[in-house]
Amino acid sequence: MDNRLIEQAFIEFHTQLVRLATQHLNPVLAQRVTPDDVVQETFLAACKRLNYFEANPEVPVYCKLRKLLFQTLSDLERKHLQAQKRDAFKELCVGGDTTATAAQVNWNMFADTLTSPLSKLTRQERYGLLQTVLEHLSENDRQILELRHFDGMSNADCAAVLKITPKTASIRYVRALERLRTKAAELSGFGL
């Protein structure tokens, strides 16, 4: 795979990648970088990792781009929020439209302090159960669930990414949800 093919993939999936970056961009980091910046950084990272795109040709290109976007977000957070430079948490925007105002960030930090130990433990247990259930699902089931729930894609969008028909995507999604529910009920001991 060469840079032209990666460029075509970014053009094809630009809207989905920007939407994904917008959904997962830390509000504090959003004061320094935009979702388009994240997608651009992801493109640069993809151009440096051509062998990553050549490996496992059965995995859709969008899924590889999605994974690379999350790694880019993580790298940007590390660079901007964990660096021993200007404190991003103290920066204020002087004008223009921002994703989160300083007041919203302060309220978010305040809300984090209201989490009780019991609710935190419950959330960790649910997360652990979900991780275990996902490990038992097939790659196809995980892909369709991630695309639908984490990327907010429709069945038609999933079908285009996975190169299957919309009807097949719909059937695959319903079956994956059923297997998820069944496995979660089996592992937790409770019916869902």
Side-chain angles (χ1 to χ4, degrees):
M1 181 175 258
D2 63 4
N3 286 347
R4 284 176 282 147
L5 294 174
I6 290 182
E7 184 178 339
Q8 289 171 351
F10 267 90
I11 290 169
E12 181 181 350
F13 299 117
H14 183 265
T15 304
Q16 291 97 331
L17 292 171
V18 169
R19 183 174 53 223
L20 190 62
T22 302
Q23 289 173 345
H24 295 280
L25 188 60
N26 182 318
V28 177
L29 183 60
Q31 295 176 7
R32 290 187 173 192
V33 298
T34 66
D36 280 318
D37 294 333
V38 174
V39 172
Q40 185 175 11
E41 290 290 325
T42 304
F43 175 71
L44 293 173
C47 289
K48 293 176 186 174
R49 299 172 72 187
L50 294 176
N51 59 346
Y52 171 68
F53 288 90
E54 292 170 349
N56 299 326
E58 69 277 359
V59 177
V61 173
Y62 176 78
C63 294
K64 293 178 181 181
L65 291 175
R66 180 182 184 278
K67 183 176 181 180
L68 204 54
L69 184 129
F70 284 128
Q71 289 172 350
T72 301
L73 277 171
S74 180
D75 292 343
L76 287 170
E77 284 186 7
R78 199 174 305 112
K79 177 182 176 185
H80 290 281
L81 303 182
Q82 296 175 1
Q84 300 299 318
K85 297 179 182 177
R86 288 188 349 233
D87 190 352
F89 291 98
K90 293 181 182 177
E91 287 187 6
L92 298 176
C93 185
V94 183
D97 189 23
T98 62
T99 306
T101 65
Q104 288 171 325
V105 172
N106 289 336
W107 278 111
N108 287 342
M109 289 192 296
F110 175 70
D112 287 344
T113 64
L114 297 178
T115 303
S116 72
L118 182 58
S119 64
K120 186 175 180 179
L121 180 63
T122 303
R123 189 169 45 250
Q124 287 174 339
E125 286 177 354
R126 283 191 310 234
Y127 180 74
L129 175 63
L130 181 61
Q131 286 295 107
T132 304
V133 170
L134 289 174
E135 289 171 4
H136 287 86
L137 295 179
S138 71
E139 183 66 25
N140 285 340
D141 288 348
R142 283 194 301 270
Q143 280 179 346
I144 196 80
L145 290 172
E146 285 177 3
L147 293 174
R148 287 294 307 271
H149 291 280
F150 299 131
D151 294 3
M153 292 181 143
S154 67
N155 274 334
D157 293 337
C158 291
V161 166
L162 299 173
K163 295 182 177 28
I164 56 178
T165 66
K167 183 177 179 179
T168 304
S170 178
I171 291 169
R172 188 181 288 181
Y173 172 65
V174 171
R175 287 180 180 167
L177 269 181
E178 185 56 37
R179 284 190 275 270
L180 178 83
R181 285 186 188 112
T182 302
K183 197 59 158 172
E186 177 185 314
L187 291 173
S188 68
F190 297 104
L192 297 178

